[in-house]
Amino acid sequence: MHVAVVMPARDEEELIASSINSVPDIVDCLIVVDDSSVDSTAKIAKNTLEKMSSTRSLFTMLISGNGEGVGSAILLGISELIETVENHDDWAVVIMAGDGQMAPDDLEKLVTGLKYSDHVKGNRFRHDLGTQNMPFIRRIASKTIGFLTSLATGWNWGDPQCGYTATRLSLILRHPRLYEWKGYGYPNWWALCFSETSESVREVPVESVYGSEKSGIRIISFLPKVSMMLFLGIWRRGWSWYILGKGKRKAQVLIRLIVSIFWFMSWFMLIF
């Protein structure tokens, strides 16, 4: 399987060069998406990619984002990949941020997981080194969102906020609704979309990396927005699975009817 890395970056002039240079040798294509940076990110990325192309057999691109957010920037990079390569079934897409928060040594572990699943996420809480260097408020937020994401998808997600992922390009092509979410929270949105058709997913341990980078996430606005998205996802999954009987988990009409009654009554009682 060919491996493409999509690297979104916004105002990362201090870290973008090291992030680009950290991409492992197993990668065949690197697409850097400058998401409307106001600093020298684009210029530094361009120079770094040119040097890399002269020393490695690696296809590289630098494209401009639209400033709508990291989710949109990632999907722009993926769209560029779709238009550029052939045999989409032979490609995997790995998301590596331009702020150096994703350990390159873990990339092969993510890609290897695609032998067994179509979407593989990193889980920083399962890594041997733990999450001691993760800011406390981020750990609390991750656990909270993790609980809601597990409810909304029916999967036990340990670290849904980790954006370090490997996904078969063919799976992304089957889910056009991925393009409906533009900003932070895209890993949760992807999980929701994949859960609706019961795709094969898994988590693997990855290192928690924090340094001089500054997160663009504002917890006060992020938590309510993503929580509402996940809450609506809970109802959408119930309707899709139990009422319409979609997804790979087929069940008889009577069983779906009984489960539907308990599903929606329980949530109604919880709310009111």
Side-chain angles (χ1 to χ4, degrees):
M1 180 175 290
H2 299 294
V3 180
V5 166
V6 173
M7 182 176 291
R10 185 172 187 174
D11 297 335
E12 298 290 355
E13 61 181 5
E14 296 181 2
L15 297 165
I16 188 62
S18 59
S19 297
I20 291 173
N21 288 324
S22 73
V23 172
D25 291 336
I26 67 169
V27 174
D28 302 288
C29 175
L30 170 59
I31 301 175
V32 178
V33 186
D34 172 47
D35 193 26
S36 301
S37 298
V38 296
D39 61 6
S40 301
T41 296
K43 180 179 179 180
I44 295 172
K46 181 175 182 295
N47 294 335
T48 307
L49 290 173
E50 289 176 352
K51 292 178 182 179
M52 174 178 281
S53 298
S54 64
T55 59
R56 289 176 54 179
S57 57
L58 175 68
F59 179 64
T60 64
M61 280 187 283
L62 173 65
I63 64 175
S64 297
N66 48 26
E68 293 184 347
V70 62
S72 178
I74 289 170
L75 290 167
L76 283 172
I78 292 175
S79 296
E80 191 70 28
L81 177 68
I82 292 171
E83 295 179 3
T84 302
V85 304
E86 299 178 352
N87 302 320
H88 296 145
D89 291 342
D90 297 334
W91 281 86
V93 179
V94 177
I95 308 303
M96 289 185 72
D99 59 4
Q101 283 196 2
M102 296 168 181
D105 292 342
D106 290 326
L107 186 145
E108 188 169 358
K109 189 189 308 180
L110 289 164
V111 174
T112 300
L114 293 177
K115 293 180 180 179
Y116 314 100
S117 301
D118 293 331
H119 177 64
V120 183
K121 281 184 81 307
N123 186 327
R124 295 163 293 184
F125 294 92
R126 286 171 51 187
H127 194 272
D128 293 339
L129 298 178
T131 57
Q132 292 86 352
N133 60 344
M134 181 187 292
F136 177 74
I137 189 65
R138 295 287 292 273
R139 273 182 280 170
I140 298 299
S142 293
K143 286 297 185 180
T144 302
I145 295 296
F147 174 72
L148 294 175
T149 304
S150 298
L151 285 177
T153 61
W155 292 320
N156 184 20
W157 288 111
D159 188 11
Q161 292 314 110
C162 180
Y164 204 178
T165 60
T167 312
R168 290 184 180 272
L169 185 58
S170 57
L171 175 61
I172 296 174
L173 287 167
R174 295 201 302 268
H175 286 270
R177 288 187 62 238
L178 295 178
Y179 287 81
E180 295 178 11
W181 191 269
K182 306 293 186 180
Y184 293 111
Y186 74 89
N188 314 93
W189 179 250
W190 285 32
L192 281 176
C193 291
F194 294 153
S195 72
E196 290 178 5
T197 48
S198 302
E199 305 293 353
S200 176
V201 302
R202 68 176 52 221
E203 287 183 314
V204 298
V206 297
E207 184 179 354
S208 175
V209 181
Y210 284 90
S212 59
E213 71 284 342
K214 295 181 179 179
S215 174
I217 296 178
R218 298 295 177 264
I219 299 296
I220 294 178
S221 59
F222 171 78
L223 271 178
K225 184 177 181 180
V226 175
S227 297
M228 180 57 67
M229 175 250 286
L230 294 172
F231 184 72
L232 293 176
I234 291 172
W235 287 87
R236 186 183 183 94
R237 179 168 70 89
W239 183 265
S240 177
W241 282 14
Y242 305 134
I243 302 297
L244 303 180
K246 291 184 177 180
K248 298 177 182 178
R249 303 175 184 178
K250 302 297 183 182
Q252 295 179 356
V253 175
L254 179 59
I255 295 177
R256 295 210 315 265
L257 178 61
I258 295 173
V259 174
S260 298
I261 294 173
F262 282 102
W263 172 268
F264 290 104
M265 281 185 60
S266 62
W267 280 105
F268 182 84
M269 293 172 65
L270 181 63
I271 297 171
F272 299 102

